[in-house]
Amino acid sequence: VQLVESGGGSVQSGGSLRLSCAASEYTYSTYCMSWFRQAPGKEREGVATFDSDGRTTYADSVKGRFTISQDSAKNTLYLQMNSLKPEDTAKYYCAASVSIYLCSVIWHRIKHFDYWGQGTQVTVSS
């Protein structure tokens, strides 16, 4: 599956952005879909996931501010980001794993993801 992210940009602290990840094929209930991010000089980290049962999981740092969703008709994964902070500045990636039944366990583990997008930059200024 090919993944293409969009929607990044520069916003001020407290602002919002919605990231999109368009997939080349049907992903709903087929892949474990996650958003990751990587800030300069830091490791890539899991941000949120949407599993085959429609359940969502979030990193503690974004809980209550970010919302992951999926439009199965459009084969598109979204990440709505509200109340953005400077520490949210990073390149954001969507990723797909064939290990869908382990999604709740592996959702934030990079090595378990088989397909990656090219990333979209999010910059939050104070």
Side-chain angles (χ1 to χ4, degrees):
V1 59
Q2 293 180 322
L3 306 170
V4 180
E5 302 97 333
S6 61
S10 297
V11 296
Q12 290 193 326
S13 183
S16 298
L17 283 173
R18 187 176 82 154
L19 305 184
S20 298
C21 171
S24 60
E25 62 185 68
Y26 189 76
T27 58
Y28 190 85
S29 74
T30 305
Y31 294 94
C32 173
M33 300 297 296
S34 287
W35 284 99
F36 288 80
R37 67 184 181 185
Q38 187 166 20
K42 293 189 177 181
E43 293 186 353
R44 194 170 297 188
E45 62 176 358
V47 175
T49 196
F50 191 101
D51 71 16
S52 61
D53 295 322
R55 292 174 300 196
T56 57
T57 305
Y58 299 92
D60 288 344
S61 58
V62 306
K63 213 171 281 186
R65 300 187 298 122
F66 290 12
T67 303
I68 189 172
S69 61
Q70 195 161 188
D71 185 333
S72 58
K74 296 181 179 179
N75 294 339
T76 301
L77 183 74
Y78 300 100
L79 185 68
Q80 177 66 45
M81 306 186 296
N82 298 327
S83 302
L84 283 161
K85 305 176 181 179
E87 50 264 44
D88 294 318
T89 295
K91 196 164 189 179
Y92 284 70
Y93 300 87
C94 72
S97 170
V98 298
S99 302
I100 190 168
Y101 298 110
L102 299 175
C103 198
S104 62
V105 176
I106 59 92
W107 72 272
H108 60 293
R109 299 180 181 177
I110 297 168
K111 65 177 183 179
H112 290 283
F113 282 78
D114 308 286
Y115 306 97
W116 293 84
Q118 82 290 348
T120 186
Q121 180 68 36
V122 171
T123 302
V124 185
S125 57
S126 56

